[in-house]
Amino acid sequence: MNETGLSEEEIQNILNYAKNRDLTYERVLSSMCTYPHKIAVQAHIQFMESNMGDFGLFRGTYDLERKVIRALGDLLHYQEASGYMTTGGTESNIQAVRSMRNLFNKKSDKYIRPNLVVPDSAHFSFDKISDILNIELRKASLEDDLKVSIRSVNSLIDENTMGIVAIAGSTEFGQVDPIEKLSIIALKHNIFLHVDAAFGGYVLPFLEDIHEFDFNLSGVTSIAIDPHKMGLSTIPSGVLLFRNPEQLENLKADTPYLTVSTQYTLTGTRSGAAVAATYAVMNFLGKEGYRKIVAQCMDKTKYLLKKMEHLNVEPLIEPVMNVVSLDVPSADLVREKLAIDFNWQVSITQNPHGLRLVIMPHVTFEMIDSFVDDLEQVLLSI
Ligand SMILES: Cc1ncc(COP(=O)(O)O)c(C=O)c1O
């Protein structure tokens, strides 16, 4: 840090330089985030200093958080769900598993290292969780359609299994696991079932096709859903919902020197700005608004696939949501060439290997046209 500060103008120049080096979303087809909605940005700025870690000072923001939790509980078919706003899917997943582990450990006097059965398609946050919480991660294999294999899940469960994770919108393929069946398995073994709907939570309820993935299924005990992805809120906005208040309660920590005496959260200081932003955009758009946005994303997804037919490029699976995986030869090289020659940001899928595109609200038909032209060139050149 300099001894004396810089002028506002100097700072602004530095910031402008940094901002110019950032990519804009105009050529980004790899991200599950997008431009937040204008109304979310305004609310975020208005509540910038609000700290939900000490919400006794920010009662108004806290009320907004309670309303967000209630609205999402309602959307996901359990209005009484308890929970709180996290920094995103990773934190929601950590806390869901931490709660399972605590409740599992309470059942026995002697220490048992519990295991958690997750689909092979689970987000890498679960690898972090295994490390942080010292739990064994058992990865269940996938069927050809890239949904988790029920047979594999069943074969991995034993007396030390505390729960199962299901994915409602996998990061790589946007696939939804057979959660109805997983719910039955969880009930049968009396274990937890956490649904990672970080991406799909704001998509599935607004699609024409019905997918059972939420608290409607009685075995589902917790859900992660991210407003900072398809919810069009600002970063950092995640939400964790529990069916049973006991699941939240066991995360309690005493906070003697704050205005409130307990915290249930992983982080201490928390963004009230993200809470206000999420409240604002959800109430501005309503279900009708999200339905429209999801329908537009799906129209563009179909448009992209139609154009791919002309290039003889097939999807690896028929997209369930606005995540597309494409069967192209030498996907790594294609990705690299798209970036270097045409400035496109796309990502890849691991298994099966392919090109991955997320058709977020910032993706336009013109972007798709231009991308397909460039992809054609790349495919001809390799
Ligand atoms: C299914 C799923 N879960 C969890 C996460 C992690 O979310 P975050 O990066 O907000 O922590 C992601 C991120 O893409 C995801 O797709």
Side-chain angles (χ1 to χ4, degrees):
M1 200 188 294
N2 293 334
E3 188 56 35
T4 51
L6 302 179
S7 69
E8 250 182 66
E9 194 188 343
E10 284 168 316
I11 297 289
Q12 200 52 58
N13 286 338
I14 295 168
L15 294 183
N16 289 344
Y17 176 71
K19 187 80 183 162
N20 283 332
R21 289 183 55 222
D22 285 355
L23 297 182
T24 64
Y25 281 113
E26 262 71 55
R27 286 177 99 77
V28 174
L29 294 164
S30 57
S31 177
M32 289 187 146
C33 290
T34 186
Y35 294 112
H37 195 285
K38 191 174 122 212
I39 201 133
V41 176
Q42 283 164 0
H44 192 104
I45 293 167
Q46 189 183 355
F47 284 75
M48 204 66 98
E49 72 284 5
S50 167
N51 172 17
M52 297 306 284
D54 197 6
F55 60 80
L57 298 176
F58 303 98
R59 284 278 159 198
T61 324
Y62 182 66
D63 283 349
L64 296 181
E65 183 185 30
R66 293 301 96 207
K67 286 179 179 156
V68 167
I69 297 303
R70 205 169 167 76
L72 284 176
D74 180 46
L75 182 71
L76 303 178
H77 296 107
Y78 190 56
Q79 215 185 51
E80 289 74 34
S82 40
Y84 76 93
M85 282 199 65
T86 66
T87 49
T90 300
E91 184 186 338
S92 299
N93 290 339
I94 293 172
Q95 289 284 82
V97 178
R98 183 177 153 219
S99 168
M100 281 184 204
R101 189 208 52 182
N102 290 354
L103 290 170
F104 181 83
N105 282 347
K106 266 193 194 158
K107 286 203 278 193
S108 164
D109 288 341
K110 73 173 183 350
Y111 174 73
I112 299 166
R113 186 172 179 239
N115 68 67
L116 179 69
V117 178
V118 305
D120 205 30
S121 52
H123 184 258
F124 55 77
S125 49
F126 289 96
D127 294 308
K128 298 182 188 177
I129 290 168
S130 159
D131 183 33
I132 297 168
L133 295 174
N134 187 27
I135 56 151
E136 185 197 343
L137 213 56
R138 296 189 172 176
K139 295 198 175 176
S141 58
L142 307 183
E143 299 286 0
D144 289 346
D145 58 7
L146 306 178
K147 295 180 186 186
V148 76
S149 150
I150 292 297
R151 192 194 304 215
S152 178
V153 169
N154 271 323
S155 73
L156 293 172
I157 294 175
D158 64 17
E159 69 279 9
N160 295 339
T161 303
M162 59 179 181
I164 308 171
V165 170
I167 317 292
S170 63
T171 313
E172 286 195 322
F173 299 96
Q175 184 56 284
V176 181
D177 286 324
I179 305 179
E180 274 170 292
K181 289 186 184 145
L182 294 172
S183 166
I184 294 168
I185 295 173
L187 289 171
K188 182 174 135 209
H189 292 275
N190 193 22
I191 55 179
F192 294 97
L193 173 57
H194 174 65
V195 176
D196 182 353
F199 186 77
Y202 278 91
V203 180
L204 294 172
F206 306 117
L207 285 175
E208 278 171 20
D209 294 345
I210 293 170
H211 294 268
E212 289 284 2
F213 76 102
D214 61 19
F215 289 118
N216 233 352
L217 301 170
S218 47
V220 171
T221 49
S222 55
I223 302 179
I225 171 170
D226 278 1
H228 69 201
K229 296 188 169 76
M230 283 296 286
L232 302 188
S233 187
T234 55
I235 297 169
S237 297
V239 168
L240 171 61
L241 296 174
F242 288 118
R243 181 186 290 277
N244 185 337
E246 191 195 11
Q247 293 173 274
L248 182 65
E249 198 55 30
N250 84 84
L251 296 173
K252 188 161 89 176
D254 292 337
T255 53
Y257 52 84
L258 300 181
T259 53
V260 285
S261 55
T262 48
Q263 260 184 17
Y264 301 88
T265 54
L266 183 63
T267 60
T269 300
R270 280 195 303 137
S271 169
V275 167
T278 301
Y279 177 85
V281 64
M282 284 182 65
N283 282 278
F284 183 79
L285 290 174
K287 289 181 186 168
E288 191 187 47
Y290 282 115
R291 219 171 276 128
K292 211 182 266 176
I293 287 164
V294 167
Q296 285 164 356
C297 289
M298 291 312 292
D299 282 349
K300 288 171 205 159
T301 300
K302 285 177 200 142
Y303 179 74
L304 172 74
L305 288 179
K306 199 93 212 122
K307 296 206 84 163
M308 284 299 140
E309 278 174 20
H310 302 302
L311 301 190
N312 282 327
V313 173
E314 300 263 334
L316 288 166
I317 59 162
E318 213 39 59
V320 176
M321 50 185 79
N322 45 331
V323 181
V324 179
S325 53
L326 298 172
D327 187 7
V328 298
S330 315
D332 289 304
L333 184 62
V334 171
R335 177 199 196 182
E336 200 179 300
K337 276 185 151 292
L338 280 167
I340 293 170
D341 298 349
F342 297 103
N343 208 18
W344 288 109
Q345 296 300 313
V346 297
S347 54
I348 49 165
T349 61
Q350 302 288 333
N351 189 19
H353 201 44
L355 215 57
R356 168 182 173 269
L357 313 172
V358 191
I359 311 304
M360 293 300 284
H362 63 259
V363 177
T364 61
F365 287 106
E366 293 74 31
M367 261 174 91
I368 293 174
D369 287 341
S370 157
F371 171 76
V372 174
D373 288 347
D374 296 342
L375 178 63
E376 185 173 22
Q377 299 249 350
V378 169
L379 291 175
L380 287 171
S381 74
I382 58 169

